[in-house]
Structure formats: C-alpha cells, structure tokens
Amino acid sequence: MELIWDGTPERSWQRLTARTGAAMQQDWAYGAACAALGSRVMRAEVVSDGRTRALAQLVHRRFFGCLHAVVCTRGPVWLTDDGAEQVDVIRALRRALPLPWLRGLFVTPDTHDPTTLRSAGLDRVMTPYATAVLDLTRPAEDLRAAMHQKWRNRLRQAERAALTVRRADTKPEAYRWLMEQEAQQQRAKRYVALPPTLPAAWQQGGGALRVYTAEAAGTPIAAMMFLIHGRRATYHIGWSHGSGKQVSAHNLILWKAMRKLRRAGVEELDLGGLNTEDAAGIARFKLGSGAQLKTLCGTWFGR
C-alpha cells in the first residue's frame, strides 16, 4: 500500500470525490480555502495494486511549537468497500504522516460505523456528531410532503407574504454584506464558526456557492448561503431580519433553494450539525424541513 502525498492533480481529486459523494471537508476547494486562511493542508492518495483505495484531505495544526495534530474531517473518502483494506488505509495514514514525532491523527469519518477505526487501533475522543441531510433526488411533491406540519404551515405563511426569492450575485463584494451580518451574529450570540472569509477563499480555490435572498418591497430581509461540492451541497450561513423571522422567510428560501439546487444537479443537501442544547430552534428548523438525521461515529485518535 503506497501513500502519495500532495501529488494528486486537482482534476483527478475532484472527479473521485464527486463520484463518491464526498462531504464538503474533503473537497479540494475546502482544502484550498483552509490553506489560504493560513493552515497547512495535506492530501493523501492511497494506492494498492495500481488502484486508488482512498483519498484523505488533512489539516495540520501545531501546538506549543512541537505538538502536531492532523485532522481528517468527514474522511477518508473510500474507493474500496473492503473492510480489511480500509483498516490498512487508516494504519498507513498513521504511520506515514510526513511530520516529526509528537504527532497524532484525529479522524471524524463520514459514517456511523466505528468498526474500521477501532480495528485500526484508534480510540474515540469525542462523542458522535449529528447532521441533517435532505435527499434532493425525490420529486418536489415528496419533499414537501416530508416536511413537518408546522414547518409546512410556516412555508405557506411565507408564500402568502408576497416575498421575492432571488439568486444573488456570487462575487465576494456582492455578498460582503451577508458576511458582515454573520460576523455580527457570531459576536452577539458568542458562537464559534468557520471564519467569514471562508466563502471567498472557497471560490478562489475553485469552489462554487449559491446565495439566495428573500426580499420584501425590494429590500433583503433574509438570506442563506450554500457551498456546492460535486453532487452535494452544504448549508453554510443564514441571516434574517426581524421582519424576515415574522413571515418565516427562511422556510421559503430553503424550499426554493432545494428545488433550484436539484435542477443544478445537486442530489444531497447537508444542513449541518444539530445542537439540541444551545440551538434547539435551529435544530427543529433543519429537521422540520424533512431532512433525515445522520449520526456519525464521533472523532477518533491515534498516534
């Protein structure tokens, strides 16, 4: 089993991750964005018998100058279904990290099954992560029927409110106002999220995004941004003015976005993590849309 570090062409990486439906954190553009924001990004292609078995995009963080933490989020991307081969891939990654000793590998895989990680000798250090996922391959009437009744009622309220939902310009200067709103939300609500500069870095790295706004009398009252990676998209940020909340503008934006993204070839929409303790209202909004709960197996560590 051979590991090729940072030698896989972008086109090949994107072709393989798109074929497997990889998560946002394993998309080339995400790595490019992290690198542009100052992180060291390493990409490994694992090959055996001339065939690619897995891809892993890792972000390197250094602590106290000598401790090296390497994080593989929502990966590796598997191109083999053989459990024994997957165990060998994890072991190979641990052994071959191109870093000095005093290092560790943290893996948060895009699966609920921890068997591979446990068999490879990793230990779980963080509890399972849950996200909400919408299957956009279903017909529009099925998507609507899957919504919780209260969520659907709020959607009807928004549809009666004479709002206009537009796909906004995606030049960074055109959505700068939305990122400023996000920065204010982070300060006001004291939560930690990906930096507001990430979308522009994502685009510079070759990634696509969509911004949809709801307008009342020509004035934006709510907006949502989605990052697109292969056949999947991930909800990134949202903002709503008080008047937007009163008419449930986000329900209408998401409903419109679901159909527009589907027409653009997106098959699955990840609405992001669920925090039922500190953000119960947001969790209810995501699950009420008809999204299915997807629970991953947590974060695992090995030296």
Side-chain angles (χ1 to χ4, degrees):
M1 189 163 282
E2 177 189 5
L3 269 73
I4 302 171
W5 288 102
D6 299 321
T8 307
E10 177 182 352
R11 180 175 295 181
S12 297
W13 187 280
Q14 292 296 73
R15 175 177 54 83
L16 292 171
T17 54
R19 191 180 83 190
T20 58
M24 175 188 75
Q25 293 86 346
Q26 292 298 311
D27 190 271
W28 185 281
Y30 182 83
C34 290
L37 296 175
S39 297
R40 179 185 176 185
V41 175
M42 299 179 290
R43 298 184 179 95
E45 180 178 356
V46 186
V47 179
S48 178
D49 296 328
R51 290 179 50 211
T52 300
R53 307 297 180 173
L55 299 171
Q57 183 162 256
L58 307 106
V59 178
H60 170 227
R61 297 167 185 167
R62 181 182 292 182
F63 300 93
F64 309 113
C66 62
L67 300 179
H68 301 271
V70 181
V71 182
C72 182
T73 305
R74 305 292 289 271
V77 178
W78 297 116
L79 293 144
T80 174
D81 295 326
D82 187 307
E85 282 191 329
Q86 292 181 356
V87 170
D88 289 342
V89 166
I90 297 295
R91 288 174 174 163
L93 283 171
R94 290 174 61 186
R95 289 193 303 265
L97 287 176
L99 293 167
W101 196 234
L102 291 179
R103 69 191 187 205
L105 174 65
F106 293 84
V107 182
T108 306
D110 198 27
T111 177
H112 71 280
D113 186 358
T115 302
T116 296
L117 300 162
R118 187 176 288 119
S119 298
L122 273 64
D123 298 306
R124 185 155 65 189
V125 293
M126 290 186 66
T127 56
Y129 167 88
T131 187
V133 177
L134 280 163
D135 177 5
L136 300 187
T137 63
R138 295 176 293 169
E141 56 269 23
D142 291 351
L143 289 170
R144 189 151 181 149
M147 296 170 182
H148 189 279
Q149 182 63 52
K150 289 183 179 179
W151 205 99
R152 195 162 48 243
N153 290 342
R154 293 189 181 99
L155 173 59
R156 293 194 187 103
Q157 176 194 15
E159 289 172 329
R160 293 192 299 266
L163 302 178
T164 301
V165 174
R166 301 184 187 278
R167 176 180 163 184
D169 189 344
T170 54
K171 294 178 181 178
E173 58 269 22
Y175 61 74
R176 184 174 294 118
W177 67 273
L178 178 57
M179 306 319 299
E180 291 172 352
Q181 292 290 343
E182 168 63 9
Q184 291 178 20
Q185 288 182 149
Q186 289 187 24
R187 289 192 297 268
K189 298 181 180 179
R190 298 181 180 180
Y191 63 87
V192 178
L194 292 169
T197 52
L198 184 132
W202 168 272
Q203 287 181 290
Q204 290 173 0
L209 59 79
R210 298 285 187 275
V211 178
Y212 298 102
T213 62
E215 299 177 358
T219 301
I221 60 172
M224 299 180 81
M225 176 184 284
F226 304 88
L227 306 182
I228 299 176
H229 40 100
R231 300 192 305 272
R232 296 173 74 177
T234 298
Y235 165 68
H236 184 54
I237 61 169
W239 163 82
S240 182
H241 186 270
S243 58
K245 294 176 182 176
Q246 289 178 357
V247 295
S248 303
H250 270 167
N251 295 65
L252 183 60
I253 293 176
L254 182 54
W255 171 234
K256 296 277 189 178
M258 288 160 62
R259 292 182 292 164
K260 290 177 182 291
L261 291 170
R262 182 174 185 262
R263 288 197 291 270
V266 175
E267 298 178 359
E268 184 176 283
L269 175 57
D270 190 335
L271 295 180
L274 301 172
N275 184 342
T276 56
E277 294 184 3
D278 300 323
I282 296 175
R284 285 194 296 271
F285 174 83
K286 293 177 180 180
L287 292 174
S289 69
Q292 295 298 306
L293 177 68
K294 180 178 180 178
T295 303
L296 308 182
C297 65
T299 300
W300 295 69
F301 173 76
R303 286 191 294 272

